[in-house]
Amino acid sequence: MTDLLLRNGRIIDPANGLDGPGDILVRNGRIEAVGHGIPAPDACLLLDVTGKWVTPGLVDLHVHLREPGEEYKETIESGTRAAVAGGFTAVAAMPNTLPPNDSAAVTRFILERARDAGNARVHPVAAITRGRAGKELTEFDDLLRAGAVAFSDDGSPVQDAGLMRIALEYAQGLDALIISHAEEPALSEGGCVNEGRISTLLGLKGIPWAAEDIAVFRDVALAELTGARLHIAHVSTRGAVEIIRRAKGRGVRVSAETAPHYFSLTEEAVLDFDTRAKMNPPLRTEEDRQAIIEGLADGTLDVIATDHAPHSSLEKDVEFPLAASGIIGLETAFPLSLALVRAGRLDPAHIIRLLSTTPAQILRIPGGTLSPGDRADIAVFDPERSFEVTPENLCSKSHNTPFLGTTLTGRAVLTLVGGRIVHNLLGVGG
């Protein structure tokens, strides 16, 4: 491991109120100093990062790494390599694998594979119910001891409100986090796009906004009833944003995320039956998109998460109703978020708070700051560097993104995990 001095970068660290030029010294895998004119120790790699952003490593609260079980789509190695290429130093891996992560053995397997890969840190999210079947709770305490950081049946909602209440009460006793996949299946089943003008034009069954809003309202009410910590995943509707805003106003312990596609695209992206834009929840209307951005700006939405969901051509190159839902996002999240800065909707520190500081706080994991003494999980971004989204430029095994073929601006050029250089577009040694 090489000691490293990052010189003259724009240091953006919301946790410590920093946004300005400075240096960061990394020694023995940890941040030793942050300041101006830090002298370079002997045998230290000195790197001038003038014009670059130096931030805490990004933390993705919501990814699908597909291992175990669907390694033809993604592996923990390829997924974490995509993560560090996007500036992420830690990711929370959802449990809808094969088999699902509903046991301590699977949790430990994921952690071992992540250690072997040596890229980003992986924090497993375990299932709320056995087999994600919505019938019987998993052993929360055992899973926490094995290394799980939260619980979710992501990909499927817990349909039984009584069971969800018990899950929240159980979690509250352990002060654990429940992540809600908020969807009312009676309204969404068989749907593949947003219900409205576009679904009518295409002759496709739609998913109404009410399918999300009803589920968000139910789970927020249960969190208020039980006092448990609840996180709402992939918020896409105007109504869900307002429900969460009002719940926070009442002091409910709820946090929420959205994904870059929900503030970058609308339902118009599926007009040519492009299955790469098929996701769940679906892309919504311009009114919803604007509400998502407003929710990010006023703090209603706490986190930008990617919901990175790799699929192969076997699942995507089929008729639209048959195609799998989901897109990859680890390597496009930063430039898409940066577009909100360029549009004047958010400032740079706010973007880093949404992508790093707050997700680390919600998961209660190390990271999200650049404090001296912390592990050196650091990302360096060139906000002016453009790249074309092509399969050759992506580290993920899958390429299912509606941004394929487009040019995005803003890219991670250096990523450190524990002081190790794990992603490097600057040509420096490590």
Side-chain angles (χ1 to χ4, degrees):
M1 186 180 301
T2 303
D3 293 340
L4 177 68
L5 179 61
L6 299 171
R7 180 81 85 194
N8 295 325
R10 177 178 178 178
I11 299 174
I12 304 176
D13 179 13
N16 288 307
L18 297 178
D19 184 358
D23 309 336
I24 295 182
L25 176 61
V26 174
R27 298 189 78 178
N28 301 316
R30 292 191 176 271
I31 297 170
E32 181 161 300
V34 179
H36 298 275
I38 297 174
D42 293 339
C44 175
L45 179 63
L46 177 62
L47 184 60
D48 189 332
V49 289
T50 300
K52 312 293 193 300
W53 292 10
V54 183
T55 77
L58 307 186
V59 178
D60 196 339
L61 207 151
H62 191 149
V63 305
H64 301 272
L65 296 178
R66 304 304 192 203
E67 187 177 5
E70 292 182 304
E71 289 84 353
Y72 69 100
K73 297 181 180 181
E74 194 79 284
T75 64
I76 290 172
E77 193 283 328
S78 65
T80 54
R81 191 154 32 90
V84 296
F88 290 92
T89 55
V91 299
M94 287 293 158
N96 46 343
T97 49
L98 296 173
N101 182 12
D102 61 0
S103 69
V106 177
T107 297
R108 285 193 289 266
F109 169 83
I110 292 168
L111 289 170
E112 288 168 6
R113 296 291 286 174
R115 277 193 292 269
D116 291 344
N119 297 316
R121 304 179 195 276
V122 175
H123 299 279
V125 175
I128 296 173
T129 65
R130 295 186 189 280
R132 297 174 50 253
K135 301 295 184 185
E136 181 184 2
L137 295 184
T138 56
E139 298 288 344
F140 283 16
D141 193 40
D142 285 352
L143 287 157
L144 289 171
R145 291 174 187 273
V149 295
F151 298 91
S152 178
D153 275 1
D154 188 56
S156 303
V158 177
Q159 295 187 45
D160 184 327
L163 186 63
M164 188 63 163
R165 173 183 178 171
I166 294 171
L168 285 160
E169 289 173 340
Y170 191 7
Q172 202 272 344
L174 297 167
D175 201 20
L177 179 70
I178 295 288
I179 300 175
S180 167
H181 173 105
E183 176 182 358
E184 173 47 62
L187 294 174
S188 63
E189 188 171 354
C192 52
V193 294
N194 183 50
E195 182 177 298
R197 184 178 68 87
I198 300 300
S199 65
T200 301
L201 279 173
L202 299 180
L204 296 172
K205 182 174 171 53
I207 300 173
W209 53 264
E212 180 170 325
D213 291 10
I214 288 170
V216 170
F217 185 88
R218 185 202 76 169
D219 286 351
V220 164
L222 291 174
E224 189 166 14
L225 177 68
T226 61
R229 291 198 296 135
L230 176 73
H231 180 78
I232 305 293
H234 42 55
V235 173
S236 72
T237 69
R238 176 177 59 87
V241 172
E242 186 58 28
I243 292 166
I244 294 162
R245 182 179 287 124
R246 292 185 181 188
K248 287 188 168 188
R250 299 194 303 276
V252 180
R253 299 174 76 194
V254 61
S255 58
E257 73 189 33
T258 191
H261 33 278
Y262 297 121
F263 58 72
S264 303
L265 300 171
T266 69
E267 58 183 344
E268 306 269 336
V270 302
L271 267 175
D272 60 355
F273 294 96
D274 185 354
T275 60
R276 294 174 303 181
K278 182 181 178 183
M279 57 200 73
N280 186 31
L283 296 170
R284 303 288 186 179
T285 65
E286 176 62 17
E287 185 180 24
D288 292 302
R289 191 180 78 86
Q290 292 299 328
I292 293 292
I293 296 172
E294 186 57 36
L296 290 169
D298 71 11
T300 301
L301 300 177
D302 307 88
V303 168
I304 296 173
T306 67
D307 196 4
H308 178 81
H311 291 295
S312 77
S313 61
L314 295 174
E315 291 84 22
K316 282 295 192 180
D317 293 340
V318 296
E319 294 177 29
F320 197 94
L322 302 177
S325 296
I327 71 171
I328 60 172
L330 284 165
E331 295 170 83
T332 54
F334 178 77
L336 293 174
S337 301
L338 185 61
L340 295 178
V341 176
R342 297 186 193 284
R345 305 298 296 270
L346 299 177
D347 62 46
H350 197 153
I351 288 291
I352 299 306
R353 185 183 299 279
L354 292 163
L355 284 164
S356 178
T357 313
T358 305
Q361 292 170 343
I362 290 172
L363 291 173
R364 297 181 175 174
I365 60 174
T369 77
L370 295 173
S371 300
D374 284 353
R375 298 184 308 197
D377 291 359
I378 299 173
V380 179
F381 295 97
D382 185 340
E384 304 302 328
R385 183 161 178 160
S386 297
F387 68 103
E388 185 178 4
V389 183
T390 65
E392 296 74 23
N393 283 336
L394 296 173
C395 295
S396 174
K397 290 182 76 171
S398 296
H399 309 127
N400 52 303
T401 168
F403 301 102
L404 206 64
T406 62
T407 296
L408 301 178
T409 300
R411 195 170 196 188
V413 293
L414 188 73
T415 306
L416 308 179
V417 174
R420 291 182 301 110
I421 295 176
V422 291
H423 168 68
N424 179 5
L425 296 183
L426 296 179
V428 296

